[in-house]
Amino acid sequence: MEETLWLMKQHSRQLQDYRKDIRGTWDDEAAKELNSHYLNPHEEDNQDMLKSLQQQQQKLEKAATELIKANEQALEADRRSRQVQHFLELTRQDVNLAYQYYERSREYHAATQAEFPIIERLIKQANLAC
């Protein structure tokens, strides 16, 4: 787009330079009418068009820069998302292990509770023996 914009500016400048060159020799009623109806409005429209194209080019360049930043941020978000997934999996494993330990402790507690009557009976027997 830069080349096109540059080329359009060159053509416009050449046309305006040519108009300046012939202004002194081409100064009749037909020239005045052509200038007022076509060439002067063309020059104004051309300037507006070139200004708009230049603004568009700047905005496109800015958009390209922002797109690069957005892609970099998306890559960073993806990397961090994978980290979160990894830590989430580690947490799930820890929670599963904690549940296993909890179940084992309940089993040990139940086994211990089942032994209390035997322990109490043995203590009574030991006290009677003394």
Side-chain angles (χ1 to χ4, degrees), residues 89-105:
E89 183 57 34
L90 291 177
T91 303
R92 282 187 184 127
Q93 291 172 2
D94 288 346
V95 167
N96 287 337
L97 190 59
Y99 276 124
Q100 290 173 8
Y101 288 154
Y102 174 71
E103 287 300 319
R104 190 175 302 154
S105 71

Side-chain angles (χ1 to χ4, degrees), residues 9-75:
K9 285 179 181 179
Q10 296 304 315
H11 286 270
S12 175
R13 193 181 73 231
Q14 287 174 348
L15 176 62
Q16 298 313 317
D17 288 347
Y18 181 70
R19 286 182 67 201
K20 286 177 190 175
D21 290 346
I22 64 169
R23 189 169 287 151
T25 56
W26 192 48
D27 194 20
D28 58 1
E29 282 303 311
K32 289 178 184 174
E33 188 171 331
L34 279 173
N35 279 324
S36 69
H37 284 105
Y38 301 106
L39 297 177
N40 290 341
H42 175 269
E43 182 179 2
E44 293 169 11
D45 290 344
N46 189 49
Q47 292 303 319
D48 291 342
M49 177 194 64
L50 290 174
K51 183 179 175 183
S52 295
L53 285 173
Q54 193 165 13
Q55 289 173 345
Q56 182 181 18
Q57 179 186 4
Q58 291 169 348
K59 289 178 182 180
L60 285 172
E61 288 171 359
K62 184 178 179 182
T65 301
E66 294 298 321
L67 184 59
I68 289 170
K69 287 179 187 177
N71 285 334
E72 289 170 356
Q73 290 174 352
L75 291 172

Side-chain angles (χ1 to χ4, degrees), residues 108-126:
Y108 290 158
H109 183 265
T112 303
Q113 292 294 323
E115 297 294 324
F116 278 141
I118 297 170
I119 293 170
E120 286 178 6
R121 184 177 50 80
L122 291 174
I123 290 174
K124 283 181 187 180
Q125 284 177 356

